[in-house]
Amino acid sequence: MLQQYDFQEPHLVAIDNVVFGYEQGQLKLLLFQRTIEPSKGDWSLVGGWVNPDESVEDAAYRVLTSLTGLSDLFMEQVEVFSKPDRDPGGRVISVVFYALINIQEHNHQLVDHYGAKWWPVNDLPPLIFDHGKMAEVALEKLRMKASRDLVGRDLLPAEFTLTQLRNLYNCIFMKEFDPGNFRKKILSLNALRRLDKKDTSESKKGAYYYTFKNIETDQFTERIINF
Amino acid sequence: MLQQYDFQEPHLVAIDNVVFGYEQGQLKLLLFQRTIEPSKGDWSLVGGWVNPDESVEDAAYRVLTSLTGLSDLFMEQVEVFSKPDRDPGGRVISVVFYALINIQEHNHQLVDHYGAKWWPVNDLPPLIFDHGKMAEVALEKLRMKASRDLVGRDLLPAEFTLTQLRNLYNCIFMKEFDPGNFRKKILSLNALRRLDKKDTSESKKGAYYYTFKNIETDQFTERIINF
DNA sequence: TTTAACAAAAGTATTAATTACTTTTAATAT
DNA sequence: ATATTAAAAGTAATTAATACTTTTGTTAAA
């Protein structure tokens, strides 16, 4: 049972965002480079402190919107990292979130100004503290999400081909999905609308563009990917 | 980016455990009754403060082992609850865990002494603050766990029948599984060992007792239940 | 103007898993 | 003996997943 609040030791609480984006056929992570010791030159996730008057969700959202200029971000709690010695600078409890953002649409100047950079998930630089583990767990969580719901709305451009969507899933699960079976499965969900436009950059025949139906079709709890 | 640590406002951080047990064919939750206002008479989860030198996992484990007298508890992080006004007594960030414990084996005297009581999950009393929501999310998390791994090792007695195990799953998912299909599926996992003893209390023919194989057979990431 | 090339899109055949049932079994109680 | 009970085993139909092959529409080269 909780005893009197006054005699309890308070803790510093931070959030760290694992920010996923998709660009040039690659799943990427938004990272900052440390300019001071310790771990100078190493990279870190997009973190910040939690203010007294906000929830950890508010904090994570505030940090990310002010960095990217985007609103309406998809974010989800991942896990709390709280080993007493996880941060050499002092005892900090960190709540990790992951976010999905559209690299095309975010404010590049703002991100550049803060010195942030996009890194391919399968070719990350050394990360500080336990941030490597955080990214790992976040990717696992994203896989869970992508196996239940169709992700892509937040990562792909508004109009995309099934090949692009499949490649995104290839990146997330780090495996090659069979083109025929993937399209059959995805279309059976009835969540996409085919446009009368084609992308002819990848093939002579051309691949139809699709959009997500604007209704909340994401709401299927059915399983998409078995993993 | 994290600025200097010294000027940051610290937070009170607590843990709350959603403690699941299984008894008399029912899934139950261990709860405390509040003896003081506000919300006097209402019930709460098994909570406690996080000490400066321990992780939130350590704190959750410490609180639960000291209450139940059990060690080697299965626990898993659920989610952080951190709305600024969630606790009328002050700003407290709470990390929720769920735990699976064997009601038979825990220290009843200790639990009685603290005034805790087991409640059936589908007939809970009013819970304080956001504890109702916590229990709800924890149950959802338990369902995720039970759909991937065979739960029961921590909830059932060492020797149990497939009917008991099925009933546990019925409780967790709040639906009736087909007896034949359930046994076929479970036995195909090859995680149980059949004993040469039968339980004849439920039928004339009698149902074989089973135990979990002591090897780490829980490790299948394959799917057990589709939900 | 044909033909080769390309990936999209559609189709197929096989296997595996799920689901809804029915039948048999072993013991007890009438 | 016979009816009863739930366990345990079995079956048949359906659905889903997988590994392929074929067709299509367009472009670029012969």
Side-chain angles (χ1 to χ4, degrees), chain A residues 62 86 96 120 153 173 202 212:
Chain A
R62 169 176 53 77
R86 57 169 290 278
V96 177
R153 194 192 285 276
F173 290 95
E202 298 290 323
F212 285 92

Side-chain angles (χ1 to χ4, degrees), chain B residues 60-216:
Chain B
Y61 187 79
R62 168 176 53 76
V63 166
L64 199 50
T65 50
S66 64
L67 171 66
T68 61
L70 292 171
S71 57
D72 252 337
L73 296 167
F74 176 83
M75 305 186 75
E76 215 167 44
Q77 231 188 81
V78 176
E79 204 177 292
V80 179
F81 285 70
S82 64
K83 286 215 186 90
D85 58 351
R86 55 169 292 276
D87 182 337
R91 155 65 140 164
V92 178
I93 294 176
S94 175
V95 185
V96 176
F97 289 79
Y98 79 92
L100 305 180
I101 89 162
N102 189 309
I103 299 192
Q104 276 64 252
E105 286 178 9
H106 83 291
N107 190 326
H108 292 260
Q109 286 144 14
L110 211 50
V111 167
D112 287 350
H113 170 257
Y114 282 113
K117 195 171 161 295
W118 289 98
W119 288 84
V121 284
N122 38 27
D123 190 24
L124 293 177
L127 297 182
I128 61 164
F129 311 166
D130 46 7
H131 286 207
K133 182 71 180 168
M134 288 175 174
E136 213 175 276
V137 179
L139 180 55
E140 202 52 46
K141 186 100 182 180
L142 172 58
R143 287 196 185 117
M144 297 286 259
K145 167 78 180 169
S147 67
R148 311 202 88 85
D149 305 319
L150 202 47
V151 301
R153 194 192 284 275
D154 303 284
L155 291 167
L156 296 170
E159 303 182 349
F160 54 90
T161 65
L162 286 179
T163 309
Q164 283 178 279
L165 181 62
R166 174 165 49 85
N167 184 70
L168 171 61
Y169 267 77
N170 288 346
C171 290
I172 292 173
F173 290 94
M174 290 173 183
K175 62 175 264 195
E176 293 282 317
F177 289 96
D178 178 278
N181 297 335
F182 185 84
R183 72 174 289 113
K184 203 194 304 178
K185 181 72 194 182
I186 297 300
L187 292 179
S188 78
L189 300 171
N190 227 33
L192 302 183
R193 182 188 319 288
R194 196 174 86 173
L195 306 181
D196 272 336
K197 291 200 293 180
K198 278 189 169 184
D199 169 25
T200 50
S201 66
E202 299 291 323
S203 85
K204 312 296 164 54
K205 182 184 176 189
Y208 282 108
Y209 279 112
Y210 287 80
T211 56
F212 285 92
K213 289 185 182 169
N214 33 17
I215 28 166
E216 275 311 311

Side-chain angles (χ1 to χ4, degrees), chain A residues 108-121:
Chain A
H108 292 260
Q109 285 144 16
L110 212 48
V111 167
D112 286 350
H113 169 258
Y114 283 111
K117 196 172 163 292
W118 289 97
W119 289 84
V121 284

Side-chain angles (χ1 to χ4, degrees), chain A residues 103-153:
Chain A
I103 298 190
Q104 276 63 251
E105 287 178 10
H106 82 292
N107 191 326
H108 292 260
Q109 285 144 16
L110 212 48
V111 167
D112 286 350
H113 169 258
Y114 283 111
K117 196 172 163 292
W118 289 97
W119 289 84
V121 284
N122 37 29
D123 190 23
L124 293 177
L127 298 183
I128 61 164
F129 311 163
D130 45 7
H131 286 206
K133 182 71 182 172
M134 288 175 175
E136 211 175 277
V137 179
L139 180 55
E140 201 53 46
K141 185 101 183 179
L142 172 58
R143 287 196 185 118
M144 296 286 260
K145 167 80 179 166
S147 67
R148 311 202 88 84
D149 305 319
L150 203 47
V151 301
R153 194 192 285 276

